[in-house]
Amino acid sequence: MKTAEKNNLMDDLAWSIYEYLLEESTLFQDENLVLLPITVIAKKFDRNHRTVSRRLSALKSEGLIKTIIKKDYVALYSITKEEDYS
């Protein structure tokens, strides 16, 4: 995927997913962690899993989330707060 296409994926949906993950996260050892199946995120935003997966990839490439553990359709993410990201 080209860089220009990745930047286009940082749309309102990506930011909404980021905000949702941050709201659902739990603070543990100074990190915001969230463990969710991708299907939960897809149902929340009424999108298919591939669309959500692309937005998660865009968030990862921007450095806003980091995958700690990924197993099948469930992943543990570390969420970077937006003010820490700036």
Side-chain angles (χ1 to χ4, degrees):
M1 186 178 286
K2 297 177 184 173
T3 305
E5 290 178 22
K6 282 187 179 180
N7 291 340
N8 290 339
L9 294 176
M10 282 302 298
D11 57 4
D12 290 339
L13 177 60
W15 285 110
S16 296
I17 291 171
Y18 168 76
E19 290 169 357
Y20 173 69
L21 292 175
L22 193 57
E23 287 173 11
E24 293 294 315
S25 68
T26 301
L27 188 63
F28 179 74
Q29 294 181 353
D30 295 330
E31 287 191 67
N32 290 304
L33 302 176
V34 63
L35 175 68
L36 283 175
I38 196 165
T39 54
V40 170
I41 302 168
K43 285 180 185 177
K44 166 79 175 161
F45 293 98
D46 195 30
R47 303 296 174 115
N48 64 41
H49 74 280
R50 186 167 284 180
T51 301
V52 170
S53 182
R54 283 191 222 120
R55 294 323 186 277
L56 290 170
S57 293
L59 290 169
K60 287 179 210 171
S61 68
E62 291 291 321
L64 292 169
I65 66 174
K66 180 175 73 173
T67 304
I68 297 174
I69 299 171
K70 185 166 183 167
K71 182 76 174 168
D72 297 328
Y73 294 102
V74 178
L76 176 64
Y77 296 106
S78 174
I79 313 299
T80 305
K81 288 192 177 180
E82 199 171 359
E83 59 266 9
D84 296 341
Y85 172 71
S86 302

